[in-house]
Amino acid sequence: EKWYSEVFKTLPLDCVDIPVRVFEDSDWDVEDRTHIPEVDAHFVIDHKVLYPLMLAKYENKRVLIFGPTGSGKTALNKLVAATIRQPYLRINGREDMQTDSLLGKPWVSGGEMHWEDGEWPKAVRKGYMIAFDEPWKCPPGVIMCLQRFFERGGILQLDDKPGTLSDKQVKAHKHNFLVLCDNVIGLGDNQDRYGATMIQDTSTINRMDLVLFQNYLEPHKELEMLLAKYSDINTKY
């Protein structure tokens, strides 16, 4: 393990250094390694968000990051996965999502019926970092299928899978980490800026241990980022 200040280059003065697990390629199989993102060298870190996020990862807590569209919520999670070399799965919520889109479904292959896991349970078993992007676009009833998993140390239960109770339950890998990212906290959008947002059951929201606000960069920091990324343009442009 390395330390936060070593991995992410800086440490706010009011914070205590925390250990950060940086993985080796040997920690993952060949398929898993294809899901490790590339580092975005131009990403500007907001340590007021990243530090508590990494502390929550260390403590295995559930996190919700909210903020305006395009502020870098999911990009931050992708950067974390790339930096610590952890496979990354992004799930995009949508209004027509059904439970089998998340968990899996019965499937016929070779003339026989069997259960086909969804990408979520695969990632949970293997220890991926999961970013559930805009979960409040999903119907609240669909989100309820994850209710037990959202609990601290929770188990993912595939109720529609045939077999015994132990066959249905997926225990999370010790390195599995879940972050929800959305524009609002889950109680709707009274300003009509995010029209597809659905009001969620408050029991779901209460299962989040930590809620973080990700805002836009300050203008001068955004300018610095753009100039660093596009060196052929000038400040006036």
Side-chain angles (χ1 to χ4, degrees):
E1 291 181 337
K2 299 183 179 180
W3 294 96
Y4 179 92
S5 54
E6 181 183 355
V7 175
F8 295 104
K9 309 303 180 188
T10 186
L11 184 69
L13 295 176
D14 59 342
C15 295
V16 177
D17 222 350
I18 56 173
V20 176
R21 174 71 182 269
V22 179
F23 296 96
E24 303 290 340
D25 283 351
S26 57
D27 291 317
W28 314 106
D29 64 29
V30 175
E31 181 187 356
D32 296 335
R33 291 199 290 269
T34 65
H35 295 285
I36 299 175
E38 295 295 325
V39 174
D40 181 358
H42 301 290
F43 189 92
V44 179
I45 294 173
D46 182 350
H47 288 272
K48 295 190 300 295
V49 180
L50 178 61
Y51 180 84
L53 175 66
M54 293 306 298
L55 187 58
K57 188 179 192 307
Y58 179 70
E59 297 286 351
N60 196 22
K61 303 290 180 66
R62 303 304 195 203
V63 182
L64 166 64
I65 302 178
F66 78 102
T69 182
S71 58
K73 300 179 293 296
T74 50
L76 178 66
N77 292 294
K78 189 175 180 181
L79 176 83
V80 169
T83 303
I84 66 175
R85 306 292 298 159
Q86 183 170 11
Y88 172 79
L89 174 67
R90 174 177 171 178
I91 300 286
N92 287 82
R94 61 180 196 272
E95 290 185 48
D96 64 342
M97 183 171 273
Q98 298 179 349
T99 55
D100 58 9
S101 301
L102 294 170
L103 304 182
K105 57 189 174 183
W107 196 255
V108 176
S109 177
E112 295 185 359
M113 179 76 75
H114 68 277
W115 176 265
E116 186 78 24
D117 272 346
E119 293 305 313
W120 190 299
K122 291 179 186 176
V124 168
R125 282 194 184 95
K126 301 182 84 173
Y128 284 28
M129 181 172 180
I130 302 175
F132 194 179
D133 192 28
E134 302 193 32
W136 313 146
K137 302 293 189 292
C138 299
V142 172
I143 296 294
M144 294 300 288
C145 75
L146 300 169
Q147 196 80 329
R148 187 174 178 186
F149 182 69
F150 285 160
E151 296 173 359
R152 195 178 303 171
I155 291 174
L156 183 65
Q157 186 156 317
L158 312 177
D159 289 319
D160 296 328
K161 183 177 181 179
T164 64
L165 182 60
S166 61
D167 294 328
K168 298 172 185 285
Q169 293 183 340
V170 179
K171 187 175 181 180
H173 189 283
K174 65 179 180 179
H175 296 309
N176 175 240
F177 183 52
L178 171 68
V179 183
L180 276 58
C181 306
D182 214 317
N183 304 122
V184 293
I185 295 180
L187 301 178
D189 173 31
N190 295 327
Q191 296 177 321
D192 295 327
R193 290 188 297 176
Y194 310 108
T197 299
M198 299 187 185
I199 296 176
Q200 301 293 320
D201 191 296
T202 53
S203 64
T204 300
I205 302 168
N206 289 344
R207 280 168 165 75
M208 298 297 106
D209 296 300
L210 182 65
V211 179
L212 299 171
F213 177 60
Q214 173 73 64
N215 204 354
Y216 295 121
L217 292 175
E218 295 177 17
H220 73 277
K221 290 185 178 179
E222 190 160 346
L223 178 61
E224 290 173 3
M225 179 191 68
L226 290 170
L227 289 171
K229 189 168 186 176
Y230 304 105
S231 58
D232 56 335
I233 62 175
N234 57 46
T235 303
K236 182 177 179 181
Y237 184 87

